[in-house]
Amino acid sequence: METLEDDMQPATTTMERLAKNTKISLPTEVLEEILSRLPVKSILRFRIVCKPWLSFISNPSFTRLHLSRATAAHHTALFIPTFCYSSHKQHFFSTTREGGRLTHLMTLDKDYTIDIAQVEHLNGLVFCSSLNYLAKSNLVYTFIVNPAMHKTFKLPDPPDHSLTNNTHGIASVCCFFGFDESNNEHKILMIRKLLQPPTLEFMIFSMSTYSWRKIDVEPPIGFSLIIRTSVCVNSVIHMMPFRSVDILGFDLRTEKFTIINTPQGVKPHKSSSEYTIHRQTWPISNKPRIIKVSGCVAVACHDRVVDTNKMHIWILQDYENHVWVKEIITFPTSWIDLAMPYPLDSFNMDEIIFSSSKLPRNNVTNVLIYNRKSRCFRTLQFTSDHQKFCSDLLKFCDIRCYVESLLTL
């Protein structure tokens, strides 16, 4: 696995050369103002200036300050996980919010077939959930990546003591990424469906203790384990179960479930009808997708895109009083050719990034960005001369935004 230390070159900046011959003494307030506004790559190089600087940069309070300023300044980038079918390796790329050339971050070299099924980001960390298709049961491999620091952490397997009396093992597994603001702690919720006797098991992984623990909680009646997307807002992991229009919330503070009703205009999953374009037939598959927009929970529906070229997005702007506000996005006609575009993530308060169902051609990939304030689109292109990117067997798993962070794993 490639790490940041492997890629770092000897420091050659003016400040670092000066530090070798002179003793640098700056007021803490000045040092904080300067360093907290720099990109992560520069800060990591400045750690070698002197021991006081290393101690200052390593302080958790500085890490939080840097993240808050990077978030406020919208210093976002794109994280692009890919999977190579020939080598069975995971390749992670990144690029700036303006597009351009891709940077190869790292490669995960594993001896089992993994394919990313879910990607979420919080506070500069990206959570990846992968399935092992060669295993006898639906095992899930979960990774947390800090793209800015080129670091990755594989979560340990949860304990299997609960499977002792379960004769047929695990039917399915889902994992969700969240942040508990009351404890300033990242957590992962795992839900496992066990067979004979059929039961649901709930476990929490804590990033402060690096361990799993089982929790006793009752899900709402009619709860479905099949969940495609989730977002964490206000310490609550919000999920939208398959064939449901309501949101299932799990509060990381109380470790209890709740139901959030969506507006009447949100329609459930359907794929019974079809449409034809350019002599090809496509199913109209309306899968309501839950995303985060302007720091709020939002639900996007696809059922009107084919007929009207429009997508309706409901945003939960008043969380306490459950007040939803609807926005209508009108797509360029050419994007209908991409077969049902859907939102992936949001850059900042105003921009939403949409997917393209087309695979890279001629080593170029296009992504559509919608500005909610101007109601205009722009196309973001990224290219790469990296040999892994050029492979025909390379699959783009997802695209996510992230903010540079010094958070350790």
Side-chain angles (χ1 to χ4, degrees), residues 167-220:
T167 58
H168 287 74
I170 303 172
S172 53
V173 183
C174 292
C175 293
F176 308 98
F177 193 36
F179 183 71
D180 183 351
E181 297 176 0
S182 63
N183 296 320
N184 195 34
E185 179 182 10
H186 290 86
K187 296 179 179 180
I188 293 89
L189 169 67
M190 174 178 282
I191 307 176
R192 300 198 296 191
K193 185 176 182 180
L194 309 182
L195 294 173
Q196 293 189 5
T199 56
L200 287 178
E201 182 182 67
F202 302 89
M203 303 190 72
I204 295 288
F205 182 84
S206 170
M207 288 295 291
S208 62
T209 62
Y210 292 94
S211 62
W212 291 97
R213 61 181 175 86
K214 185 178 179 180
I215 60 174
D216 295 323
V217 60
E218 290 293 330

Side-chain angles (χ1 to χ4, degrees), residues 274-304:
E274 297 179 341
Y275 72 99
T276 301
I277 187 170
H278 297 314
R279 299 181 180 179
Q280 289 184 316
T281 301
W282 304 88
I284 300 179
S285 182
N286 172 45
K287 299 175 182 177
R289 185 176 178 87
I290 185 171
I291 61 172
K292 185 188 298 185
V293 177
S294 301
C296 301
V297 178
V299 177
C301 286
H302 306 214
D303 60 306
R304 295 176 175 84

Side-chain angles (χ1 to χ4, degrees), residues 114-335:
I114 58 176
D115 193 359
I116 286 183
Q118 180 182 358
V119 182
E120 301 295 341
H121 76 94
L122 283 171
N123 305 321
L125 301 182
V126 181
F127 173 79
C128 302
S129 177
S130 302
L131 296 179
N132 183 359
Y133 296 113
L134 297 183
K136 295 181 180 179
S137 58
N138 292 332
L139 298 180
V140 173
Y141 293 88
T142 50
F143 301 86
I144 296 179
V145 182
N146 185 326
M149 298 184 68
H150 297 206
K151 296 293 186 179
T152 184
F153 170 73
K154 180 185 179 299
L155 272 67
D157 295 331
D160 289 335
H161 58 266
S162 59
L163 304 181
T164 303
N165 299 322
N166 199 285
T167 58
H168 287 74
I170 303 172
S172 53
V173 183
C174 292
C175 293
F176 308 98
F177 193 36
F179 183 71
D180 183 351
E181 297 176 0
S182 63
N183 296 320
N184 195 34
E185 179 182 10
H186 290 86
K187 296 179 179 180
I188 293 89
L189 169 67
M190 174 178 282
I191 307 176
R192 300 198 296 191
K193 185 176 182 180
L194 309 182
L195 294 173
Q196 293 189 5
T199 56
L200 287 178
E201 182 182 67
F202 302 89
M203 303 190 72
I204 295 288
F205 182 84
S206 170
M207 288 295 291
S208 62
T209 62
Y210 292 94
S211 62
W212 291 97
R213 61 181 175 86
K214 185 178 179 180
I215 60 174
D216 295 323
V217 60
E218 290 293 330
I221 298 176
F223 170 74
S224 171
L225 182 62
I226 304 177
I227 300 172
R228 301 186 180 278
T229 57
S230 69
V231 296
C232 184
V233 176
N234 299 328
S235 300
V236 178
I237 299 177
H238 299 80
M239 303 161 276
M240 180 162 283
F242 190 67
R243 300 190 184 280
S244 173
V245 295
D246 292 324
I247 295 174
L248 180 67
F250 179 80
D251 196 317
L252 292 170
R253 297 160 296 190
T254 62
E255 297 185 348
K256 300 295 182 182
F257 282 102
T258 185
I259 292 292
I260 302 175
N261 300 119
T262 55
Q264 293 182 353
V266 178
K267 297 183 179 180
H269 172 273
K270 65 176 182 179
S271 58
S272 57
S273 56
E274 297 179 341
Y275 72 99
T276 301
I277 187 170
H278 297 314
R279 299 181 180 179
Q280 289 184 316
T281 301
W282 304 88
I284 300 179
S285 182
N286 172 45
K287 299 175 182 177
R289 185 176 178 87
I290 185 171
I291 61 172
K292 185 188 298 185
V293 177
S294 301
C296 301
V297 178
V299 177
C301 286
H302 306 214
D303 60 306
R304 295 176 175 84
V305 175
V306 174
D307 298 329
T308 66
N309 226 27
K310 301 179 187 296
M311 178 179 292
H312 292 190
I313 295 183
W314 284 264
I315 302 174
L316 185 56
Q317 291 191 348
D318 189 337
Y319 198 89
E320 296 296 329
N321 298 312
H322 291 256
V323 176
W324 295 83
V325 176
K326 183 175 68 173
E327 293 188 8
I328 301 177
I329 299 177
T330 303
F331 287 91
T333 305
S334 59
W335 262 69

